[in-house]
Amino acid sequence: MPPQVCVARIGAAHGVRGAVKLWTFTEDPFAVTRYGALSTKDGARQFEVAHARAAKDHLVATIKGITTREEAERLNSLELYVAREKLPATEDDEYYNADLIGLAAVTSTNEPLGEVIAIHNFGAGDIIEIAPAAGASIMLPFSNAVGADRRPRQRTRGDRTARGHQER
């Protein structure tokens, strides 16, 4: 299966005709309507957004084949993914969070911290989770102080790094 990127999460049912609240993780919230079929992380199920309209901080969407509130309720909290190759190319100073997973994490003085295993967002901003060689994982706020440095000189297959820039 090609690398997948989470582009949306289905929320609660909206109304009685099968619509759902849809939180998107794309620059343009309506981009999810142009990617075609979106799948679950394991690829076992596919969904296509038939129609979407803007709401306060999310979209209200209808999913093809979902016509009742009960069907919509069963989709609550489901994350939707798209193949990485369907997404637009990034600029030199941009990246998708999914591109960071698996990178070696190092300090600004090139000391190893571990491997990037996840990027989380619990509502107050991105958090990068790093698995050190031993012990519990480390979670750091993902900001300009702790960020990604993916310069081409570090993009070889054997040396993929995410650098932690620490302010003093």
Side-chain angles (χ1 to χ4, degrees), residues 5-35:
V5 176
C6 182
V7 293
R9 182 180 51 79
I10 297 175
H14 182 87
V16 296
R17 295 191 177 138
V20 295
K21 294 179 180 180
L22 187 67
W23 276 265
T24 62
F25 311 126
T26 54
E27 186 174 18
D28 171 12
F30 290 95
V32 295
T33 64
R34 298 187 293 272
Y35 293 138

Side-chain angles (χ1 to χ4, degrees), residues 78-97:
L78 194 66
E79 291 182 334
L80 301 176
Y81 291 77
V82 67
R84 171 69 172 83
E85 68 227 19
K86 286 188 174 184
L87 298 173
T90 58
E91 299 292 326
D92 286 341
D93 61 343
E94 295 179 327
Y95 52 87
Y96 291 106
N97 285 351

Side-chain angles (χ1 to χ4, degrees), residues 74-135:
R74 287 193 288 272
L75 302 178
N76 192 7
S77 299
L78 194 66
E79 291 182 334
L80 301 176
Y81 291 77
V82 67
R84 171 69 172 83
E85 68 227 19
K86 286 188 174 184
L87 298 173
T90 58
E91 299 292 326
D92 286 341
D93 61 343
E94 295 179 327
Y95 52 87
Y96 291 106
N97 285 351
D99 295 340
L100 301 177
I101 307 303
L103 295 181
V106 298
T107 67
S108 57
T109 58
N110 220 27
E111 295 175 47
L113 290 173
E115 180 180 315
V116 177
I117 58 172
I119 307 291
H120 304 285
N121 190 313
F122 302 112
D126 289 335
I127 295 173
I128 189 168
E129 184 173 3
I130 300 167

Side-chain angles (χ1 to χ4, degrees), residues 33-168:
T33 64
R34 298 187 293 272
Y35 293 138
L38 306 174
S39 66
T40 54
K41 188 171 190 170
D42 62 5
R45 298 170 66 192
Q46 293 192 339
F47 302 91
E48 192 166 342
V49 178
H51 179 267
R53 66 177 172 82
K56 183 178 179 182
D57 58 352
H58 59 278
L59 299 179
V60 173
T62 55
I63 309 290
K64 286 185 180 176
I66 305 299
T67 58
T68 67
R69 180 175 184 85
E70 292 74 25
E71 291 172 323
E73 286 172 343
R74 287 193 288 272
L75 302 178
N76 192 7
S77 299
L78 194 66
E79 291 182 334
L80 301 176
Y81 291 77
V82 67
R84 171 69 172 83
E85 68 227 19
K86 286 188 174 184
L87 298 173
T90 58
E91 299 292 326
D92 286 341
D93 61 343
E94 295 179 327
Y95 52 87
Y96 291 106
N97 285 351
D99 295 340
L100 301 177
I101 307 303
L103 295 181
V106 298
T107 67
S108 57
T109 58
N110 220 27
E111 295 175 47
L113 290 173
E115 180 180 315
V116 177
I117 58 172
I119 307 291
H120 304 285
N121 190 313
F122 302 112
D126 289 335
I127 295 173
I128 189 168
E129 184 173 3
I130 300 167
S137 64
I138 304 164
M139 291 193 178
L140 301 168
F142 196 52
S143 64
N144 290 338
V146 177
D149 179 356
R150 300 189 65 227
R151 292 177 276 204
R153 65 180 167 76
Q154 297 165 331
R155 286 179 128 180
T156 63
R157 196 85 163 120
D159 180 34
R160 298 172 26 178
T161 62
R163 294 193 179 277
H165 297 285
Q166 300 172 345
E167 294 178 340
R168 297 190 192 264

